[in-house]
Amino acid sequence: MKEVRVLEIKQSVFADNDKQAADLRQELKQKGIFLLNLMSSPGAGKTTTLMRTIEAMRDTFKIGVMEADIDSDVDARTIQKSGAKVIQLHTGGMCHLDAEMTRQGLDGLKVEDVELAILENVGNLVCPAEFDTGASKNVMILSVPEGHDKPLKYPLMFSICDVVLINKIDVLPYFDFDMDKCREYILMRNPNAKIIPICAKTGEGISEWTKWLAEEVKSWRAAE
Amino acid sequence: MKEVRVLEIKQSVFADNDKQAADLRQELKQKGIFLLNLMSSPGAGKTTTLMRTIEAMRDTFKIGVMEADIDSDVDARTIQKSGAKVIQLHTGGMCHLDAEMTRQGLDGLKVEDVELAILENVGNLVCPAEFDTGASKNVMILSVPEGHDKPLKYPLMFSICDVVLINKIDVLPYFDFDMDKCREYILMRNPNAKIIPICAKTGEGISEWTKWLAEEVKSWRAAE
């Protein structure tokens, strides 16, 4: 197997992350690159969901993936098997990515020929929500074992996401997870959130998710 | 049900958290108060584990619990049912507690008559590991659905914890979780870590955990 590229990215020296993020988003739009920021708790299934997403969309779009972690390259190695362009980003202990770190990652990934760039953010429901990465859309995964009360405890994450994927629905029978209450709590934080129950392991629900994503990428690129 | 007390705690104005933490630890030792810092990802089972812990130990020690969250008081309401003294701390959006925030929580809890104080930290595998709270011991919960590779990705958290509880072992048959690999990765980060597989839901493994904790509280208080 080809070696995975690992890039050490550094925290921004810029005070105004919102400005950096807006500039990056504008640049990406001009280049016709859609950037998806994927967030979740540790172990909610970001990488497995990405594998399914790439599988469903690689014939339609040129895809590039940035795997952000504090350490290890296990996720980038997994993604590499999909055939997608991939780079492992190490955050130097940082709990999130800001716009400048994302820019370093995009430069490292060499996204010129990429139409859909995906950032798998650090597994964390708090800090990544506070920093605009410059992404076109924000998506988060909440997994069934984490419980339906998470929107009550981590309000900002749920309020900034365009889509909430509820993953691991195959284990619903083994957990006290109330899907109706979960929907209610998510919509309380974000009335516009699109909620899609999925099982990345079996592929259930993935077509609804990738259909939404494909539409978004197309309309983003059409308006460039 | 009696109303849960909610305290808004504020980030430390002190630059030197290590000094604040050492001072707090020393003060607690003089007062004979053992402080346990409990950490994990969101939804790994901190509150359920605490309920089991209180149930097993409330006849031996006077217990007080601080529930730290960004928002909501669902965890404090749950703990209140155990009969233990409890306070809900709101972190003002902060992703972790530092020593000064912990001190504010202990003051709010009025720990004078408490022998075992437990801090349920914000659900997060990154930031809480970076800030010494002044705790006597650090414990973390890794739940089976999160996967056995987490020690590779979140090195600091595993390296600073005295005990790693591997929770939700009742669902092992439904997940690709390799217990041997998990032990190997944890010990790679921290050769001295005590690893205890538990199921907070059924109570499995809890006696080994509470036996360890009771010994630690006793020896801490004996040496005061």
Side-chain angles (χ1 to χ4, degrees):
Chain A
M1 193 161 65
K2 205 174 69 176
E3 204 161 317
V4 167
R5 275 189 309 143
V6 177
L7 181 67
E8 309 286 333
I9 52 177
K10 291 187 181 62
Q11 193 178 1
S12 174
V13 294
F14 301 106
D16 189 353
N17 184 63
D18 286 347
K19 168 81 168 66
Q20 303 298 322
D23 289 351
L24 178 57
R25 191 155 31 238
Q26 186 56 29
E27 270 180 57
L28 291 173
K29 192 156 183 80
Q30 281 161 359
K31 291 180 184 166
I33 301 168
F34 181 98
L35 174 61
L36 180 77
N37 178 23
L38 179 60
M39 296 172 284
S40 82
S41 294
K46 290 188 292 301
T47 310
T48 312
T49 303
L50 269 190
M51 288 296 279
R52 288 281 179 188
T53 306
I54 294 165
E55 188 182 53
M57 298 182 75
R58 66 185 157 202
D59 294 338
T60 317
F61 301 107
K62 288 176 207 134
I63 303 175
V65 176
M66 297 174 281
E67 287 290 334
D69 278 299
I70 289 166
D71 204 352
S72 96
D73 61 2
V74 290
D75 288 345
R77 285 181 183 279
T78 304
I79 295 293
Q80 201 177 41
K81 292 177 197 155
S82 72
K85 202 168 176 173
V86 63
I87 191 167
Q88 177 74 50
L89 310 180
H90 282 173
T91 65
M94 283 289 287
C95 48
H96 66 273
L97 263 73
D98 59 24
E100 173 57 23
M101 292 167 92
T102 305
R103 183 189 287 276
Q104 291 170 35
L106 290 163
D107 288 348
L109 188 62
K110 297 189 178 62
V111 280
E112 290 70 25
D113 60 343
V114 164
E115 294 159 324
L116 167 57
I118 305 175
L119 168 63
E120 186 182 317
N121 216 314
V122 179
N124 183 336
L125 287 191
V126 188
C127 319
E130 294 168 12
F131 292 84
D132 187 345
T133 57
S136 317
K137 293 285 172 185
N138 290 317
V139 175
M140 73 161 291
I141 300 175
L142 171 68
S143 64
V144 164
E146 293 171 70
H148 57 257
D149 62 353
K150 291 299 156 292
L152 300 179
K153 296 182 183 177
Y154 303 91
L156 188 62
M157 176 58 78
F158 288 85
S159 69
I160 62 141
C161 278
D162 302 285
V163 175
V164 178
L165 301 173
I166 302 182
N167 191 24
K168 307 191 187 180
I169 56 170
D170 58 324
V171 296
L172 273 169
Y174 313 114
F175 290 90
D176 304 322
F177 186 94
D178 188 324
M179 187 63 84
D180 292 336
K181 275 227 172 74
C182 190
R183 283 180 187 275
E184 181 193 324
Y185 295 157
I186 294 169
L187 295 174
M188 193 175 87
R189 294 305 185 191
N190 181 357
N192 300 316
K194 186 172 172 66
I195 301 168
I196 310 176
I198 64 166
C199 176
K201 200 171 165 184
T202 63
E204 197 179 342
I206 293 294
S207 63
E208 186 183 348
W209 151 240
T210 53
K211 194 180 157 212
W212 176 88
L213 183 56
E215 290 298 326
E216 292 292 327
V217 178
K218 275 178 203 160
S219 72
W220 175 267
R221 286 170 48 78
E224 84 193 69
Chain B
M1 193 162 68
K2 204 173 68 175
E3 204 160 316
V4 166
R5 277 189 307 143
V6 177
L7 181 67
E8 308 286 332
I9 53 177
K10 290 186 181 63
Q11 192 178 2
S12 174
V13 294
F14 302 107
D16 189 353
N17 184 64
D18 285 348
K19 168 80 168 67
Q20 302 298 321
D23 288 352
L24 177 58
R25 191 156 30 239
Q26 186 56 29
E27 269 180 59
L28 291 173
K29 191 154 184 82
Q30 281 160 359
K31 290 180 184 165
I33 301 167
F34 181 98
L35 173 61
L36 180 76
N37 178 23
L38 179 61
M39 297 171 284
S40 81
S41 294
K46 290 188 292 301
T47 310
T48 312
T49 302
L50 269 191
M51 287 296 278
R52 288 283 179 188
T53 305
I54 294 165
E55 188 181 53
M57 297 181 77
R58 66 185 156 202
D59 295 338
T60 317
F61 301 106
K62 287 176 207 135
I63 303 175
V65 176
M66 297 174 281
E67 287 291 334
D69 277 299
I70 289 167
D71 204 352
S72 96
D73 60 3
V74 290
D75 288 345
R77 285 181 182 279
T78 304
I79 294 294
Q80 200 177 41
K81 293 176 197 156
S82 72
K85 201 167 177 174
V86 64
I87 191 167
Q88 178 74 51
L89 310 180
H90 281 173
T91 65
M94 284 289 287
C95 49
H96 66 273
L97 263 73
D98 59 24
E100 173 56 24
M101 292 167 92
T102 305
R103 183 189 288 276
Q104 291 169 35
L106 290 163
D107 288 347
L109 188 62
K110 298 188 177 63
V111 280
E112 290 70 26
D113 60 343
V114 164
E115 293 160 324
L116 167 58
I118 304 175
L119 168 64
E120 187 181 318
N121 216 312
V122 180
N124 183 336
L125 287 192
V126 189
C127 318
E130 294 168 11
F131 292 84
D132 187 345
T133 57
S136 316
K137 293 285 172 185
N138 291 316
V139 175
M140 72 162 291
I141 301 175
L142 171 67
S143 65
V144 165
E146 292 171 70
H148 57 258
D149 63 352
K150 292 300 155 291
L152 301 179
K153 296 181 183 175
Y154 304 91
L156 188 61
M157 176 58 79
F158 287 86
S159 69
I160 62 141
C161 277
D162 301 286
V163 174
V164 178
L165 301 173
I166 302 182
N167 191 23
K168 307 191 187 180
I169 55 171
D170 58 324
V171 296
L172 273 168
Y174 313 112
F175 290 91
D176 303 323
F177 186 95
D178 187 325
M179 187 64 85
D180 292 336
K181 274 227 172 74
C182 190
R183 283 180 186 274
E184 181 194 324
Y185 295 156
I186 293 169
L187 294 174
M188 194 175 87
R189 294 303 185 192
N190 181 358
N192 301 317
K194 186 172 173 66
I195 302 167
I196 310 176
I198 64 166
C199 176
K201 199 171 164 184
T202 63
E204 197 179 342
I206 293 294
S207 64
E208 186 183 347
W209 151 241
T210 53
K211 194 181 156 209
W212 176 87
L213 183 55
E215 290 298 325
E216 292 293 325
V217 178
K218 275 178 203 160
S219 71
W220 175 266
R221 287 172 47 80
E224 84 193 70

